[in-house]
Amino acid sequence: MVRTLTWRDGMVFALNMPIGLFLTLGYTVGAIGGWTAIAIWGVACTLAFLQSHLFAEMAAMFPNKSGGISVYAYEGWKRHFAPLGAIAAFGYWMGWSLSLSVEGVVLGTLIEQAFFPDNDIAVRLPIGHELGLPYLIAIGAIVTAWALNYFGVKIAAGVARVTGALLVIGLVVLVVGPFVSSGADFDMSRITWSGASSPLDWKIIVVWFYITAWTTYGTEVCASFAAEYKDPVKDTSRALRASAAMILGIYLVVPYVVVGALGEETIGANPVNYIGLAFDKILGSYSWLGQLPIMAAFIIAMMTATADGGRSLYGISRSGGTIKQLGVLNRYGVPGRALTTDMMINVVVLIVLGEPIAILLASNLGYLTAVTLAVGAFVLLRRDRPDIPRPIRLARPWIPIACVLFAINAFAIGVGILNPGLTGYGGLSETITGIGILMIACVLWYYRQRVQDKTSIEWRVRGDDHPDPTDPDPDPADGATVQTDCAELPTETRS
């Protein structure tokens, strides 16, 4: 892959994380109160910051591997039960990729409310579902995010820098505005410890942690570009730690100011368009100017989700964990087939299902499973492969810290799976859907082993303990070098 990024580019891609805050703030605050929600996000961001140190060490161990924490999970667990690695990779892809549908619809809704409030545009499909303007905008945004990634990571990074700058401006207006604008007033008494549900019920708190953890843990996305940083060791480590610290600050300050300006009841009653209400108070008739940076943030989020989902599929294919067709780079040095597969699945999700929030809730199970297995992989790699080069080596106390983080995440997954209805936004069907999607990973893993590689099933894979650091992308499955579509390569590359 082409090494053109710096750690600052990784931080720009991590700026997609406030979108998770915007998507969940209204629902969370309305259910459990502002202070409780802020406390949950604060704890989750702290855990994410600790996990970023673990991922930095593993990223330095595999600087030439694309796919981020899903690949680290595969490397750690393949000696013990190889299908877990495939499940981690597919779950990671679920968490990032399927969020595109929700982000696209919310972006379309914001654009419709700001610029086309009285439109009646709709396309009726034969299956009976009607695609309104927000859904048409969402499909266009998904295709645009694919195009910006398909033709090289530098294009995506350049667009992300511009939209990231706009997002920072929007966040500054959102945070400072309630204190200086004559139309907005901040009142800390509007923030309470209680909402529609009692915060004293520990199960409700844990389930909300389970639902919102994907919005804070996502700073690990910086590791997915390890094979594309100019200095994969230093840049990955800096991007991971700086992004985690940045998101911690945003997730504490933004909810505090927004809830204090609008109040919990207003936000709970308008869980999606509360952003527009906040800018109405701050900017009055020019509120659309404030919403533009937020729309820009959605563009970052969709580009990042597309890039990360595609690299996850590519990385696990190169490691032998899923079908070979996804482990291919195009002429621009990016996993074009995986990106295209990612785009097509999300368009189908929007057209067929219409209401993608259920898929988002289901995909959360896959994402947290991937993160948890990646944290466990840190401990397993320390024990099973102690001699592999570690340019970044954490002190021994980080091993018990990793065990505690693994236990916390596993506990949250267990409580979330058993009590999905406590939030009022999910049920058993979403859990079953998430488990079903994860099982597809096992089918594709089996197909790769028996049909494509024509080998016996290896439930425990040894692999190479000392991969050649000069190998551009070592593949323990077949020892092959990077596979590309030769027809797409420039003439000088083909020769």
Side-chain angles (χ1 to χ4, degrees):
M1 303 187 79
V2 183
R3 295 194 182 278
T4 57
L5 302 180
T6 69
W7 68 272
R8 296 179 183 85
D9 294 313
M11 278 195 68
V12 170
F13 281 121
L15 275 174
N16 81 91
M17 294 316 301
I19 292 304
L21 176 64
F22 295 143
L23 288 174
T24 58
L25 188 149
Y27 299 103
T28 310
V29 168
I32 59 178
W35 284 124
T36 310
I38 291 172
I40 289 175
W41 282 316
V43 170
C45 286
T46 301
L47 297 179
F49 182 73
L50 294 174
Q51 288 171 172
S52 69
H53 289 72
L54 309 180
F55 301 150
E57 176 175 306
M58 290 186 286
M61 292 171 62
F62 307 105
N64 298 315
K65 285 188 175 291
S66 177
I69 66 170
S70 61
V71 173
Y72 312 152
Y74 180 78
E75 290 294 327
W77 288 94
K78 68 181 182 181
R79 283 172 169 247
H80 303 273
F81 189 58
L84 281 180
I87 289 173
F90 219 70
Y92 185 72
W93 168 81
M94 284 168 57
W96 275 105
S97 178
L98 297 188
S99 66
L100 271 173
S101 301
V102 177
E103 292 165 353
V105 171
V106 174
L107 173 61
T109 301
L110 290 175
I111 293 175
E112 181 185 53
Q113 291 176 346
F115 303 109
F116 312 102
D118 301 321
N119 84 90
D120 56 357
I121 299 174
V123 176
R124 179 163 292 278
L125 302 176
I127 60 176
H129 176 59
E130 186 175 274
L131 297 179
L133 182 60
Y135 286 86
L136 298 177
I137 293 174
I139 293 174
I142 290 172
V143 175
T144 300
W146 164 83
L148 290 172
N149 278 283
Y150 188 88
F151 297 103
V153 71
K154 284 299 289 183
I155 296 177
V159 175
R161 278 193 288 268
V162 175
T163 54
L166 291 174
L167 172 61
V168 171
I169 295 173
L171 288 175
V172 170
V173 173
L174 197 61
V175 170
V176 177
F179 299 99
V180 300
S181 174
S182 58
D185 62 314
F186 176 86
D187 186 352
M188 195 169 67
S189 65
R190 294 173 178 158
I191 312 174
T192 71
W193 288 95
S194 60
S197 303
S198 171
L200 299 178
D201 188 332
W202 65 270
K203 284 186 179 180
I204 292 178
I205 294 176
V206 174
V207 171
W208 275 108
F209 173 85
Y210 167 77
I211 293 296
T212 60
W214 71 274
T215 68
T216 53
Y217 283 7
T219 52
E220 47 70 26
V221 67
C222 301
S224 293
F225 302 93
E228 295 163 272
Y229 289 123
K230 293 179 179 178
D231 188 330
V233 175
K234 292 182 179 179
D235 286 335
T236 305
S237 176
R238 289 176 181 175
L240 281 168
R241 293 168 180 171
S243 299
M246 173 187 67
I247 295 303
L248 174 60
I250 291 175
Y251 272 62
L252 293 179
V253 174
V254 172
Y256 173 76
V257 174
V258 172
V259 179
L262 294 180
E264 294 171 355
E265 291 185 2
T266 300
I267 292 177
N270 302 275
V272 175
N273 64 346
Y274 72 89
I275 302 174
L277 298 178
F279 282 113
D280 283 341
K281 277 197 168 189
I282 297 171
L283 300 176
S285 59
Y286 295 97
S287 63
W288 61 273
L289 287 173
Q291 294 185 57
L292 284 178
I294 306 304
M295 297 174 189
F298 275 89
I299 295 174
I300 297 178
M302 297 183 72
M303 285 195 310
T304 303
T306 302
D308 206 27
R311 281 159 178 78
S312 176
L313 292 177
Y314 169 80
I316 194 61
S317 176
R318 295 297 305 150
S319 296
T322 192
I323 56 176
K324 285 185 176 181
Q325 285 80 1
L326 297 177
V328 177
L329 297 178
N330 64 14
R331 70 166 70 183
Y332 307 104
V334 297
R337 290 184 183 178
L339 291 170
T340 303
T341 301
D342 192 71
M343 179 266 292
M344 294 175 64
I345 289 175
N346 275 278
V347 171
V348 171
V349 165
L350 276 179
I351 293 176
V352 175
L353 298 179
E355 182 53 62
I357 188 66
I359 296 298
L360 177 59
L361 293 174
S363 70
N364 188 60
L365 168 62
Y367 179 72
L368 286 185
T369 299
V371 172
T372 304
L373 290 174
V375 170
F378 172 83
V379 179
L380 295 176
L381 288 170
R382 277 292 186 94
R383 188 189 69 177
D384 298 339
R385 304 168 74 173
D387 297 328
I388 192 171
R390 286 175 168 82
I392 298 175
R393 187 178 183 89
L394 301 177
R396 287 188 62 83
W398 279 94
I399 297 177
I401 291 174
C403 293
V404 172
L405 292 171
F406 180 89
I408 292 173
N409 290 334
F411 176 73
I413 292 173
V415 175
I417 289 176
L418 296 175
N419 303 277
L422 290 180
T423 63
Y425 298 105
L428 181 61
S429 60
E430 284 76 22
T431 299
I432 294 175
T433 301
I435 295 174
I437 294 176
L438 286 178
M439 291 303 101
I440 295 176
C442 296
V443 175
L444 294 179
W445 173 80
Y446 183 90
Y447 181 83
R448 170 67 182 268
Q449 301 292 317
R450 291 305 300 268
V451 178
Q452 294 190 322
D453 293 342
K454 294 181 173 58
T455 61
S456 59
I457 295 298
E458 292 186 83
W459 299 103
R460 303 175 68 181
V461 181
R462 285 293 175 181
D464 184 6
D465 283 357
H466 302 283
D468 182 0
T470 64
D471 187 350
D473 193 1
D475 187 346
D478 57 14
T481 55
V482 177
Q483 181 186 1
T484 59
D485 285 326
C486 293
E488 295 185 359
L489 291 175
T491 303
E492 63 272 17
T493 305
R494 261 183 269 150
S495 61

